[in-house]
PDB file of all heavy atoms in Angstrom:
ATOM      1  N   ARG A  61      43.888  36.189 -37.671  1.00  0.00           N
ATOM      2  CA  ARG A  61      42.580  36.493 -37.084  1.00  0.00           C
ATOM      3  C   ARG A  61      42.632  36.068 -35.624  1.00  0.00           C
ATOM      4  O   ARG A  61      43.494  35.296 -35.211  1.00  0.00           O
ATOM      5  CB  ARG A  61      41.436  35.800 -37.828  1.00  0.00           C
ATOM      6  CG  ARG A  61      41.215  34.378 -37.503  1.00  0.00           C
ATOM      7  CD  ARG A  61      42.308  33.471 -37.997  1.00  0.00           C
ATOM      8  NE  ARG A  61      42.280  33.303 -39.465  1.00  0.00           N
ATOM      9  CZ  ARG A  61      43.313  32.939 -40.184  1.00  0.00           C
ATOM     10  NH1 ARG A  61      44.507  32.678 -39.603  1.00  0.00           N
ATOM     11  NH2 ARG A  61      43.242  32.811 -41.488  1.00  0.00           N
ATOM     12  N   VAL A  62      41.636  36.579 -34.870  1.00  0.00           N
ATOM     13  CA  VAL A  62      41.567  36.249 -33.447  1.00  0.00           C
ATOM     14  C   VAL A  62      40.735  34.984 -33.244  1.00  0.00           C
ATOM     15  O   VAL A  62      39.692  34.821 -33.878  1.00  0.00           O
ATOM     16  CB  VAL A  62      40.938  37.427 -32.673  1.00  0.00           C
ATOM     17  CG1 VAL A  62      40.693  37.063 -31.203  1.00  0.00           C
ATOM     18  CG2 VAL A  62      41.843  38.659 -32.756  1.00  0.00           C
ATOM     19  N   PHE A  76      39.181  26.069 -31.505  1.00  0.00           N
ATOM     20  CA  PHE A  76      38.128  25.404 -32.298  1.00  0.00           C
ATOM     21  C   PHE A  76      37.631  26.334 -33.393  1.00  0.00           C
ATOM     22  O   PHE A  76      37.589  27.558 -33.229  1.00  0.00           O
ATOM     23  CB  PHE A  76      36.955  25.004 -31.400  1.00  0.00           C
ATOM     24  CG  PHE A  76      37.306  23.894 -30.453  1.00  0.00           C
ATOM     25  CD1 PHE A  76      37.827  24.181 -29.195  1.00  0.00           C
ATOM     26  CD2 PHE A  76      37.160  22.573 -30.828  1.00  0.00           C
ATOM     27  CE1 PHE A  76      38.172  23.152 -28.318  1.00  0.00           C
ATOM     28  CE2 PHE A  76      37.503  21.540 -29.964  1.00  0.00           C
ATOM     29  CZ  PHE A  76      38.006  21.838 -28.700  1.00  0.00           C
ATOM     30  N   THR A  77      37.217  25.739 -34.490  1.00  0.00           N
ATOM     31  CA  THR A  77      36.747  26.540 -35.615  1.00  0.00           C
ATOM     32  C   THR A  77      36.046  25.653 -36.639  1.00  0.00           C
ATOM     33  O   THR A  77      35.894  24.450 -36.455  1.00  0.00           O
ATOM     34  CB  THR A  77      37.933  27.292 -36.262  1.00  0.00           C
ATOM     35  OG1 THR A  77      37.424  28.257 -37.176  1.00  0.00           O
ATOM     36  CG2 THR A  77      38.879  26.338 -36.971  1.00  0.00           C
ATOM     37  N   LYS A  83      40.939  29.765 -42.700  1.00  0.00           N
ATOM     38  CA  LYS A  83      42.056  29.287 -41.871  1.00  0.00           C
ATOM     39  C   LYS A  83      42.176  27.775 -41.937  1.00  0.00           C
ATOM     40  O   LYS A  83      43.275  27.217 -41.909  1.00  0.00           O
ATOM     41  CB  LYS A  83      41.921  29.798 -40.434  1.00  0.00           C
ATOM     42  CG  LYS A  83      40.871  29.088 -39.610  1.00  0.00           C
ATOM     43  CD  LYS A  83      40.764  29.639 -38.202  1.00  0.00           C
ATOM     44  CE  LYS A  83      39.732  30.712 -38.057  1.00  0.00           C
ATOM     45  NZ  LYS A  83      38.389  30.459 -38.651  1.00  0.00           N
ATOM     46  N   SER A 141      33.597  31.948 -43.593  1.00  0.00           N
ATOM     47  CA  SER A 141      34.525  32.557 -44.574  1.00  0.00           C
ATOM     48  C   SER A 141      33.952  32.635 -45.994  1.00  0.00           C
ATOM     49  O   SER A 141      34.607  33.166 -46.887  1.00  0.00           O
ATOM     50  CB  SER A 141      35.899  31.852 -44.638  1.00  0.00           C
ATOM     51  OG  SER A 141      36.419  31.612 -43.364  1.00  0.00           O
TER      52      SER A 141
HETATM   53  C1  LIG B 301      37.393  37.902 -29.564  1.00  0.00           C
HETATM   54  C2  LIG B 301      37.205  37.012 -30.777  1.00  0.00           C
HETATM   55  C3  LIG B 301      37.159  35.630 -30.598  1.00  0.00           C
HETATM   56  C4  LIG B 301      36.980  34.790 -31.697  1.00  0.00           C
HETATM   57  N1  LIG B 301      37.027  33.435 -31.500  1.00  0.00           N
HETATM   58  C5  LIG B 301      36.932  32.612 -32.570  1.00  0.00           C
HETATM   59  C6  LIG B 301      37.103  31.202 -32.392  1.00  0.00           C
HETATM   60  O1  LIG B 301      37.383  30.688 -31.286  1.00  0.00           O
HETATM   61  N2  LIG B 301      36.972  30.416 -33.497  1.00  0.00           N
HETATM   62  C7  LIG B 301      36.701  30.943 -34.730  1.00  0.00           C
HETATM   63  O2  LIG B 301      36.569  30.175 -35.681  1.00  0.00           O
HETATM   64  N3  LIG B 301      36.578  32.273 -34.935  1.00  0.00           N
HETATM   65  C8  LIG B 301      36.696  33.116 -33.875  1.00  0.00           C
HETATM   66  N4  LIG B 301      36.603  34.474 -34.061  1.00  0.00           N
HETATM   67  C9  LIG B 301      36.354  34.979 -35.438  1.00  0.00           C
HETATM   68  C10 LIG B 301      37.649  34.975 -36.230  1.00  0.00           C
HETATM   69  O3  LIG B 301      38.460  36.083 -35.838  1.00  0.00           O
HETATM   70  C11 LIG B 301      37.423  35.018 -37.751  1.00  0.00           C
HETATM   71  O4  LIG B 301      36.593  36.100 -38.100  1.00  0.00           O
HETATM   72  C12 LIG B 301      36.793  33.719 -38.268  1.00  0.00           C
HETATM   73  O5  LIG B 301      37.295  32.580 -37.610  1.00  0.00           O
HETATM   74  C13 LIG B 301      37.009  33.579 -39.769  1.00  0.00           C
HETATM   75  O6  LIG B 301      38.383  33.542 -40.038  1.00  0.00           O
HETATM   76  P1  LIG B 301      38.974  32.956 -41.433  1.00  0.00           P
HETATM   77  O7  LIG B 301      38.077  33.493 -42.513  1.00  0.00           O
HETATM   78  O8  LIG B 301      40.369  33.495 -41.516  1.00  0.00           O
HETATM   79  O9  LIG B 301      38.936  31.460 -41.336  1.00  0.00           O
HETATM   80  C14 LIG B 301      36.814  35.343 -32.990  1.00  0.00           C
HETATM   81  C15 LIG B 301      36.885  36.726 -33.151  1.00  0.00           C
HETATM   82  C16 LIG B 301      37.091  37.548 -32.073  1.00  0.00           C
HETATM   83  C17 LIG B 301      37.221  39.028 -32.284  1.00  0.00           C
END
Side-chain angles (χ1 to χ4, degrees):
R61 80 290 288 158
V62 173
F76 291 90
T77 191
K83 75 181 93 47
S141 314

